[in-house]
Amino acid sequence: MIRLLKSTALALTVAAIVPGSAIASGYPSKTITFICPYSAGGGGDTASRMIAKLAGDMMGVKINVENKTGGGATIGIGAVSKAKPDGYTVGFVSTSPITIRPHMMKAPYHPLKDLTYISQFVASNQPLVVLKDSKFKTLKDVIDYAKANPGKLKWSTSVQRGGPHVAVEAMFKAEGAKATFIPFKGGSKVLAALLGGTIDVGMMSEGTKATLDGQTRILAEGTPNKNPVAPDVPTLTEAGYPIAPAIFFGVAGPAGLSKEVLDKWDAVMAKVVKSPEFVALASQRKWALDFAGHDAFTKIVHADYNAAKIAVAEIGMK
Amino acid sequence: MDLILEGLALSFTLESLLAITIGVAAGQILGAIPGLTASMAVALIIPYSFYFSPWVGIPMLLGMFKGSFFGASTTAILIRTPGTPAAAATVLDGHPLAQQGKGAKAMKMALYASVFGDTFSDICLIFFASLLAIVALSFGPAEYTVLIVLALGSLGMLSSRPAWKGVMAMLLGVVIGMIGLDPITASERLTFGNPELEEGIGLIPMLIGFLAVSEVFQQMNDKTEDLSSAAVRFSTNREDNRVSWLEFKSCVPVLFRSSILGTIIGAMPGLGATVAAFIAYGEARRTSKTPEEFGKGSLEGIAAPEAANNAVSGSNLIPLLAFGIPGDIAAALILGAFMIQGINVGPLAFSQNPVPLYAIYGALILANLVNLVLGFGLVRIARFAVKVPRRLLLVSVLVIASAGSYALRGSLFDIQLVFVFGLLGFVMIRFGFPTVPLLIGFILVPLLEENLRTVLLLASTYDESLLFVFTRPAFVTMTVLMVLGALFFARRRWRKRAVPTSES
């Protein structure tokens, strides 16, 4: 009871202090809008709200999260790209709508021209998993089976036409193997389909916890970051395949943000990712904290965008 | 046993009881407001949940989800506005009852059914979680397809006269449901290049417009009604404001059947509470002794969807606890809250540290009791709230409908949708087209398409082609049950015909 009262009091105090301290000079001096292109409750939304709260507390202003969803996250990011570049509208960005989807659809922004990349704070893992007692022991077993039985291997991933989808198709293409992609909506449904025997192979972030839980086995990692649960397993590029795109969570703003704004966010985000709250959230969600400031993040985006452009054209995905 | 007691002790404390009460109350209110969902509220409080003890935060969350299902049905009954999509089927019989002055009876029936469904599925979760989870995982696209075909079969009996109008309405629903990305190739369909349409027509703005706003237009157009009279009238007869023991007893078979259906559907990732409510409604009508009452204010027609949608809320924790797979957004949020608090859920949790799981069970059962008690309060408040003059209520509904659908994803386009569908509903009622077939076409047929086409895609990977479905035990079991059921039905009908009753 006392604990509840204490926590309520704390929450109220935080709420009361925030608007009061918004009188500091320079950037920021008023409420910042943080656009989350994903709906309330998902991973992107949780991350956005956590950042809004922690960064807001550190900057001494209120940061409001606005969910603007739709169009495979391109609508929300489009809204960020069209905002006034004064630093008072920023947003959450993730891999697919930045480095992958624009090669296949008409996005309402050009990822390299219309956005400023502020910082990357998470690089999640995308393990390629099979059931624990699967006959596939290595990535080579999967490839050999797909080569020997064209179209018989059934696989899926969380987001159709997202980064991991492109990466795995590029791998099959490079090997001259043919597999059948079975679409499911979201990583937890891919895991359910894998456990239920509907598909043979899956690539989704949920695979990390499922492997910890003893349900699955990791055969490869679809991003450049080694999987912490299976550090010996190669990434797709280490295994000699065309791409292993970074699956990042980051903050971006419209093109032409001032140096003052970028410096402020660089400093604050570096502290946010080290805060105990964020570290706890990330470790529970199995996000790999991987901070990259404005310069490094911009480089990652450019490199992955160009690599994906070639891969997408190669496999002919539209 | 000690571990169970230890777990229950965590949730049976004064602070978690208080947290549950706050959660249920907030859930009931949020549920009643169209567009605002418990999921949104939970997302808002997650950044603060670090400052709560786990046994304050998690019970509050569970209470919120449970409360929202009942809250949503009060507005569905009284003003034809389902607070959440899961209450859309409750409109069908709840609103006619309210129009007869029996709104309080309808709300109480919904409350009893909600708590019944909740309790039933919680008990299943506690005792049969691992068994049910294995059954649920054995359901793949092939089994979903059969299930949806069955549902369409029983809902098809909600036929209207003339039949062609019902068919037209359903086809229109199918076309609207097809807008968006093709479920298999992910290419755009019927979007006319508009990115707003890429993810399809949102269920919430569509339902709010089609059910609530159309009703507002209807009432505005009705010149015989006095606009300053109370918006919803309540009968002064005591019997019309309560559910008698006899009435409740007559609903018990429906309550059990619907709770079983809801529990099974909830345990399978991918179908959800709205689908469960419609399937249970169709099933209740098919097995009812008085199917002609459905759509006119049948108590069974309220009991079925309410028991089923609440049963989903308990059983969607089944795949979560057994396999770490969240069945829907509510379960995903609960998973998130557990993780923030450092509580592992998933297949290893029972052997590693089961105490938090027992505490969750305790909180679930406690939340059901609180839901029942607070529900009576909400019925009273709701009765009072709709006593405002009609002209005020109609305007408020329009404002809430717009604000609620905007809040959902911050899209002005959704407000436009609300009014487009309001107009569509108004025109359809005006020209005597039934509205339910459109909802069924919109909600169920795209699911059927998605699963059927996945089955066809899967078939291409098997040597035996489409016959691969007969290698799946769940599919074979379902098919056998379906054939037996059809035979049983045919026999009963044949007997009825052989022995003419005095009525005919």
Side-chain angles (χ1 to χ4, degrees):
Chain A
M1 187 67 217
I2 301 286
R3 222 185 306 166
L4 176 68
L5 281 178
K6 259 198 227 158
S7 35
T8 318
L10 184 60
L12 288 176
T13 323
V14 171
I17 290 172
V18 171
S21 51
I23 35 170
S25 62
Y27 177 84
S29 61
K30 59 175 189 191
T31 302
I32 297 173
T33 302
F34 193 102
I35 296 179
C36 172
Y38 297 99
S39 57
D45 178 67
T46 310
S48 296
R49 287 180 195 282
M50 203 70 207
I51 286 171
K53 188 189 168 295
L54 297 171
D57 287 354
M58 288 174 197
M59 293 186 189
V61 293
K62 195 164 161 30
I63 300 184
N64 273 338
V65 176
E66 238 180 67
N67 298 89
K68 268 202 192 307
T69 67
T74 55
I75 289 179
I77 296 171
V80 173
S81 74
K82 283 179 195 69
K84 214 168 120 194
D86 56 3
Y88 291 99
T89 307
V90 294
F92 176 90
V93 289
S94 62
T95 315
S96 288
I98 299 293
T99 59
I100 311 289
R101 295 291 308 279
H103 300 303
M104 309 172 199
M105 66 177 286
K106 224 180 91 208
Y109 49 84
H110 190 289
L112 303 188
K113 290 178 192 152
D114 300 337
L115 291 160
T116 307
Y117 295 93
I118 297 173
S119 54
Q120 165 187 292
F121 53 94
V122 164
S124 81
N125 286 107
Q126 295 283 328
L128 184 99
V129 291
V130 293
L131 281 185
K132 194 179 171 61
D133 48 9
S134 163
K135 61 183 175 191
F136 303 128
K137 304 288 177 210
T138 62
L139 188 58
K140 192 173 171 298
D141 294 346
V142 175
I143 302 281
D144 288 347
Y145 178 83
K147 272 181 166 169
N149 306 278
K152 299 268 185 233
L153 182 83
K154 301 179 286 285
W155 81 282
S156 189
T157 179
S158 335
V159 183
Q160 192 171 6
R161 304 196 295 176
H165 189 180
V166 172
V168 174
E169 289 291 2
M171 169 183 89
F172 285 133
K173 177 96 184 176
E175 289 280 5
K178 207 170 160 336
T180 302
F181 179 78
I182 311 286
F184 287 96
K185 290 192 181 117
S188 54
K189 282 176 194 145
V190 175
L191 178 58
L194 187 68
L195 297 182
T198 304
I199 55 171
D200 310 308
V201 177
M203 181 180 277
M204 65 287 181
S205 58
E206 285 79 356
T208 306
K209 181 176 187 307
T211 302
L212 270 181
D213 285 344
Q215 296 167 313
T216 53
R217 187 170 48 221
I218 299 177
L219 301 187
E221 169 58 44
T223 72
N225 300 15
K226 288 267 187 187
N227 195 296
V229 172
D232 304 334
V233 163
T235 67
L236 287 183
T237 40
E238 284 171 351
Y241 297 115
I243 56 168
I247 301 300
F248 56 76
F249 284 1
V251 181
L257 285 187
S258 70
K259 191 168 180 315
E260 185 195 9
V261 171
L262 286 172
D263 287 348
K264 184 81 189 177
W265 275 95
D266 260 357
V268 166
M269 285 303 293
K271 271 197 280 174
V272 165
V273 293
K274 286 199 197 93
S275 70
E277 289 98 330
F278 205 82
V279 170
L281 180 75
S283 83
Q284 302 306 342
R285 293 228 160 188
K286 306 284 172 246
W287 294 338
L289 286 181
D290 193 356
F291 176 76
H294 164 65
D295 296 329
F297 188 28
T298 309
K299 262 188 212 132
I300 296 172
V301 168
H302 280 248
D304 276 4
Y305 180 89
N306 293 325
K309 187 174 191 172
I310 297 166
V312 168
E314 188 87 345
I315 58 180
M317 196 182 279
K318 273 187 203 129
Chain B
M1 195 63 209
D2 282 352
L3 290 175
I4 297 176
L5 287 179
E6 195 183 320
L8 291 181
L10 280 173
S11 56
F12 286 16
T13 59
L14 199 59
E15 56 185 86
S16 65
L17 181 65
L18 191 69
I20 289 173
T21 311
I22 295 172
V24 170
Q28 289 186 349
I29 293 167
L30 286 168
I33 302 172
L36 294 189
T37 58
S39 309
M40 280 170 75
V42 171
L44 285 173
I45 61 169
I46 276 187
Y48 293 94
S49 64
F50 279 101
Y51 308 107
F52 293 117
S53 115
W55 300 111
V56 171
I58 289 169
M60 193 187 285
L61 238 147
L62 295 172
M64 217 176 245
F65 282 118
K66 286 191 183 267
S68 71
F69 276 106
F70 173 63
S73 43
T74 57
T75 38
I77 289 166
L78 293 178
I79 52 175
R80 210 168 180 257
T81 308
T84 60
T90 311
V91 169
L92 307 180
D93 280 279
H95 190 63
L97 269 180
Q99 284 174 321
Q100 296 159 26
K102 297 179 189 168
K105 186 201 274 284
M107 285 191 285
K108 283 177 189 164
M109 188 68 235
L111 178 60
Y112 300 146
S114 293
V115 175
F116 189 96
D118 261 335
T119 313
F120 183 92
S121 77
D122 291 345
I123 291 172
C124 290
L125 168 70
I126 295 170
F127 293 103
F128 314 113
S130 43
L131 180 74
L132 275 167
I134 291 167
V135 172
L137 266 197
S138 70
F139 272 61
E143 291 76 18
Y144 282 6
T145 306
V146 177
L147 198 74
I148 299 163
V149 168
L150 271 178
L152 281 172
S154 65
L155 283 164
M157 294 183 192
L158 300 167
S159 54
S160 43
R161 261 169 232 120
W164 70 270
K165 284 190 169 173
V167 173
M168 290 293 285
M170 178 150 167
L171 287 178
L172 183 59
V174 173
V175 171
I176 297 169
M178 276 186 161
I179 297 174
L181 293 181
D182 178 292
I184 302 298
T185 64
S187 51
E188 293 181 25
R189 291 196 304 202
L190 300 173
T191 61
F192 305 103
N194 183 349
E196 297 274 12
L197 286 173
E198 202 193 286
E199 282 176 9
I201 300 284
L203 183 56
I204 288 178
M206 188 270 184
L207 283 176
I208 293 176
F210 193 65
L211 292 172
V213 174
S214 70
E215 174 74 7
V216 172
F217 291 164
Q218 192 76 9
Q219 295 214 13
M220 282 173 164
N221 193 43
D222 188 348
K223 300 200 173 60
T224 57
E225 286 281 353
D226 178 5
L227 282 178
S228 54
S229 68
V232 181
R233 276 178 284 270
F234 288 94
S235 162
T236 45
N237 183 349
R238 197 171 157 271
E239 278 308 308
D240 287 341
N241 288 315
R242 59 187 278 264
V243 177
S244 72
W245 173 240
L246 260 181
E247 285 171 326
F248 182 78
K249 226 170 71 180
S250 71
C251 288
V252 167
V254 169
L255 286 175
F256 269 107
R257 272 199 302 272
S258 308
S259 301
I260 293 172
L261 270 172
T263 304
I264 295 173
I265 292 171
M268 301 189 291
L271 291 179
T274 312
V275 172
F278 273 101
I279 290 180
Y281 184 84
E283 197 50 31
R285 193 190 129 115
R286 194 177 63 79
T287 51
S288 172
K289 291 193 188 84
T290 55
E292 67 282 356
E293 288 292 310
F294 276 68
K296 294 175 192 147
S298 161
L299 279 182
E300 287 177 310
I302 298 173
E306 282 301 310
N309 68 26
N310 277 71
V312 167
S313 82
S315 66
N316 63 21
L317 296 178
I318 290 174
L320 181 63
L321 296 187
F323 297 111
I325 298 173
D328 60 6
I329 183 92
L333 281 169
I334 291 173
L335 174 68
F338 287 153
M339 285 173 153
I340 285 182
Q341 302 285 4
I343 296 170
N344 182 26
V345 287
L348 299 179
F350 279 99
S351 52
Q352 282 173 349
N353 181 16
V355 173
L357 299 181
Y358 296 128
I360 293 165
Y361 294 161
L364 284 170
I365 297 291
L366 218 52
N368 292 343
L369 293 174
V370 173
N371 201 8
L372 182 65
V373 174
L374 291 185
F376 283 111
L378 185 67
V379 170
R380 272 171 185 273
I381 297 171
R383 284 183 64 168
F384 179 74
V386 293
K387 274 195 183 135
V388 299
R390 193 174 292 265
R391 56 163 192 269
L392 289 183
L393 186 84
L394 295 184
V395 176
S396 331
V397 170
L398 287 186
V399 172
I400 296 172
S402 313
S405 50
Y406 178 78
L408 195 69
R409 38 174 231 166
S411 156
L412 281 174
F413 181 74
D414 282 350
I415 302 185
Q416 295 165 2
L417 277 186
V418 165
F419 285 90
V420 167
F421 280 102
L423 214 59
L424 177 69
F426 175 71
V427 171
M428 280 177 66
I429 296 167
R430 194 83 202 170
F431 291 98
F433 283 91
T435 50
V436 183
L438 186 140
L439 291 180
I440 293 166
F442 178 72
I443 294 170
L444 287 182
V445 176
L447 262 182
L448 176 68
E449 189 211 356
E450 182 184 328
N451 284 290
L452 184 61
R453 289 184 56 192
T454 307
V455 171
L456 295 176
L457 193 57
L458 285 169
S460 71
T461 68
Y462 286 90
D463 292 331
E464 53 270 59
S465 189
L466 202 54
L467 293 178
F468 88 92
V469 293
F470 291 104
T471 62
R472 295 182 63 92
F475 184 88
V476 174
T477 315
M478 275 180 82
T479 318
V480 169
L481 284 178
M482 210 165 75
V483 171
L484 285 180
L487 284 178
F488 175 77
F489 225 67
R491 205 180 75 141
R492 208 167 71 173
R493 196 167 271 190
W494 182 77
R495 272 198 186 166
K496 255 192 199 160
R497 214 171 277 168
V499 189
T501 53
S502 53
E503 283 167 48
S504 58

